[in-house]
Amino acid sequence: MSWFSDFLTSSIGRKVVMSLTGLFLILFLLVHLAGNLQLLPFLAHDPAGDPGKAFNLYSKFMTSNPLIKTVSYLLYASILIHAIQGWLLWSKNRKARGNQGYAVKVNKVVGTNSFAASNMGWLGTIIFIFLAIHMYQFWLQMKLGHLPMAYYDGVEVKNLYSIVAEAYESLGYVIFYVVSMVVIAYHLNHGFQSAFQTLGINHHKYTPFIKWVGKAYSILVPLGFAIIPIYMYFFM
Amino acid sequence: MKLTLKIWRQKSLKEKGRFETYKVEANPHMSFLEMLDVLNEELIAKKEEPVVFEHDCREGICGTCSMVINGEPHGPMGGTTACQLHMRHFKDGETIVIEPFRASAFPVMKDLAVDRSALDRIIQAGGYISVSTGAAQDANAVPIDKDTAGHSFDAAACIGCGACVAACPNASAMLFVSAKVSHLALLPQGKVEAKRRAQAMVKQMDLEGFGMCSNITACEAECPKGISVENIARLNREYLSSALGSETVA
């Protein structure tokens, strides 16, 4: 196994780990967004009924389907590996840079967002704090907490919608959530295209397309997430 | 033109450095290094220590000059080494801040001179061809298509100055290593040892304490030879394929 551990602890190997876990998390965000959008009444296909029905049934499915449960362990592992490896890289890179900084700082880059690219560690740390709060508030309550129950066609389902709706009633929480989405947008803006570059995927035929998709993704997905609490705060 | 220079002065590796301010009168046609020569002549005449900076060819091809001018390695002009940067690109009365390349792997020896032997050790680890390639070939005897030759030539333009390391917020040497690996791996003679080379050079790069690439691309933006980060992607491919596909296991 020594060649494998050598590979994983080499500078490029560490980056490949960041890239693969990052791409998996990017894909997960889309699935998560598809679920969250059912919080919006006009997307939930049941405008007359219980506003939480679609979301609660979806949550029930996500926590009971064996395939999704299996993938969820991969997700938890990805989050932890991406975060721990990220902090390791961050601290090693700061050590490599040294204590004495430049008196004049210039941030010229080529084809990426210089703010996002040079602050991935900070952005990632903020996202991790957001995730910790977010998972305590919803994920842990769904798993272990005593949620109120809802009944749909005689089936008892945990009413996750009730605590989501309650959280989104607070303006402070909505602001915290939206700011976190802006942070994720910046992190994705650099991370999306960077993941491909790390895997060696860079070619003048398709790299402009990857960068374009990355930009669109980094704006649209966090925007999709952010619209939900804003809509629920103002209109529900 | 009258200039104010803020220059990093440091007596030795062990001693702490600080900025000193100097006034100098330069001709707009002078190169940046000639302007520093003028300052040093004046300092010597006043029996003061001249500012130590590295230089050799002064033609932009040797990669010896190394300084950060107003926050940019080799100064504000794209695709230009410090020795080829001319004073006409500065304004009369301007204050110019001159610092050494900064990175843990590039310790400051004196003033603006840093120890870049880490890059030499990376080359020694594998940046060469050791298989017998025979005598000089007839032209066109070795088949190679023009695009590949072009990519290899672009990578070979790297003069090994270390501006990529100086510019990188992570002090990563990936652009340098990727240029050397690309230059050789693309050509038939270099391909033979490509897998071993990528492994050996990356290993040495890691040992020297350079940072890891976050694809910030500041290296390409500041490279005086315009080396593209496409080379870093190629190095990643070479490294991945050699880690997973080479015959040697350990």
Side-chain angles (χ1 to χ4, degrees):
Chain A
M1 284 303 278
S2 79
W3 71 268
F4 193 59
S5 57
D6 280 356
F7 168 68
L8 285 183
T9 52
S10 71
S11 56
I12 296 176
R14 284 177 192 276
K15 289 296 302 180
V16 168
V17 170
M18 288 304 280
S19 161
L20 293 176
T21 49
L23 284 173
F24 181 69
L25 294 175
I26 283 172
L27 203 60
F28 161 72
L29 275 185
L30 204 59
V31 178
H32 191 333
L33 178 62
N36 280 21
L37 286 175
Q38 300 184 51
L39 286 163
L40 296 173
F42 51 88
L43 290 174
H45 304 296
D46 194 9
D50 177 353
K53 185 179 175 184
F55 184 70
N56 283 336
L57 288 176
Y58 172 78
S59 313
K60 167 87 180 161
F61 169 76
M62 290 304 275
T63 45
S64 52
N65 182 293
L67 179 70
I68 289 169
K69 273 172 95 172
T70 313
V71 176
S72 74
Y73 292 110
L74 196 60
L75 172 69
Y76 308 145
S78 287
I79 293 172
L80 287 176
I81 294 169
H82 194 81
I84 294 166
Q85 184 77 278
W87 282 319
L88 267 174
L89 289 170
W90 197 18
S91 89
K92 280 173 184 286
N93 286 342
R94 287 169 81 110
K95 216 179 126 201
R97 183 97 294 277
N99 296 326
Q100 183 67 52
Y102 289 114
V104 183
K105 284 197 175 66
V106 175
N107 296 318
K108 272 192 195 166
V109 296
V110 183
T112 186
N113 181 300
S114 78
F115 168 76
S118 33
N119 290 293
M120 289 300 271
W122 283 114
L123 295 169
T125 303
I126 298 169
I127 294 167
F128 190 83
I129 295 167
F130 166 77
L131 267 185
I133 296 170
H134 184 71
M135 287 185 76
Y136 169 78
Q137 204 171 12
F138 302 123
W139 175 83
L140 199 69
Q141 301 311 317
M142 185 71 185
K143 292 271 175 190
L144 303 172
H146 297 284
L147 294 184
M149 302 307 280
Y151 298 90
Y152 304 113
D153 307 320
V155 183
E156 193 183 43
V157 175
K158 283 185 176 175
N159 195 348
L160 185 63
Y161 177 83
S162 65
I163 59 169
V164 173
E166 197 190 322
Y168 290 175
E169 275 170 19
S170 146
L171 180 64
Y173 184 79
V174 173
I175 291 170
F176 163 71
Y177 191 95
V178 172
V179 169
S180 299
M181 290 309 115
V182 173
V183 173
I184 289 179
Y186 272 103
H187 196 76
L188 285 177
N189 195 295
H190 178 68
F192 192 100
Q193 52 146 312
S194 178
F196 289 91
Q197 164 82 2
T198 296
L199 294 177
I201 301 169
N202 184 335
H203 196 281
H204 62 90
K205 276 186 183 167
Y206 48 74
T207 294
F209 176 69
I210 291 174
K211 287 191 174 179
W212 184 84
V213 172
K215 254 186 203 150
Y217 197 98
S218 72
I219 295 166
L220 293 178
V221 172
L223 186 68
F225 278 108
I227 279 173
I228 298 160
I230 295 172
Y231 181 88
M232 287 175 75
Y233 181 80
F234 286 106
F235 302 109
M236 285 172 78
Chain B
M1 57 197 296
K2 286 186 169 63
L3 297 163
T4 306
L5 305 176
K6 284 190 170 172
I7 305 178
W8 184 262
R9 301 302 308 261
Q10 185 171 333
K11 282 210 167 78
S12 69
L13 180 67
K14 299 244 162 66
E15 275 179 72
K16 276 191 102 167
R18 63 197 166 89
F19 281 101
E20 295 275 0
T21 306
Y22 301 95
K23 299 266 182 204
V24 71
E25 205 164 330
N27 181 312
H29 299 299
M30 284 176 177
S31 76
F32 201 83
L33 300 192
E34 283 164 344
M35 181 275 294
L36 287 178
D37 291 338
V38 171
L39 172 71
N40 276 347
E41 291 290 340
E42 287 170 12
L43 290 176
I44 292 165
K46 286 193 276 184
K47 303 237 182 292
E48 284 178 39
E49 271 285 294
V51 178
V52 171
F53 61 91
E54 286 192 271
H55 61 99
D56 190 15
C57 73
R58 298 205 179 199
E59 291 178 331
I61 53 172
C62 75
T64 308
C65 55
S66 54
M67 57 186 76
V68 172
I69 302 161
N70 286 343
E72 292 187 66
H74 296 292
M77 292 288 288
T80 308
T81 54
C83 63
Q84 290 287 296
L85 175 66
H86 286 82
M87 296 316 295
R88 58 179 169 270
H89 301 298
F90 295 89
K91 288 192 275 297
D92 188 28
E94 195 174 335
T95 299
I96 305 173
V97 182
I98 311 169
E99 305 171 72
F101 280 3
R102 301 247 184 238
S104 297
F106 287 173
V108 177
M109 307 305 287
K110 195 174 165 75
D111 299 340
L112 303 174
V114 299
D115 179 3
R116 285 170 290 174
S117 57
L119 298 185
D120 299 336
R121 288 189 291 275
I122 294 173
I123 294 291
Q124 284 159 14
Y128 50 81
I129 295 169
S130 63
V131 294
S132 172
T133 54
Q137 306 282 333
D138 284 343
N140 306 321
V142 181
I144 177 164
D145 73 285
K146 191 174 181 303
D147 288 337
T148 310
H151 286 311
S152 176
F153 189 83
D154 287 346
C158 169
I159 52 176
C161 65
C164 45
V165 178
C168 176
N170 304 340
S172 170
M174 283 285 277
L175 193 67
F176 166 77
V177 176
S178 71
K180 300 305 170 192
V181 162
S182 294
H183 159 209
L184 297 176
L186 286 166
L187 299 177
Q189 298 91 334
K191 234 173 217 152
V192 184
E193 293 164 297
K195 284 192 164 70
R196 196 196 62 79
R197 181 182 304 116
Q199 290 290 321
M201 291 181 80
V202 168
K203 194 171 182 182
Q204 190 62 36
M205 173 182 83
D206 292 352
L207 282 175
E208 296 291 348
F210 289 106
M212 276 151 270
C213 179
S214 326
N215 306 316
I216 297 168
T217 67
C219 52
E220 180 181 330
E222 299 294 353
C223 175
K225 296 294 151 184
I227 306 289
S228 161
V229 293
E230 277 176 37
N231 291 296
I232 296 182
R234 187 178 294 105
L235 170 62
N236 291 340
R237 291 200 291 277
E238 289 287 331
Y239 189 79
L240 274 170
S241 71
S242 66
L244 302 173
S246 65
E247 284 298 319
T248 41
V249 173

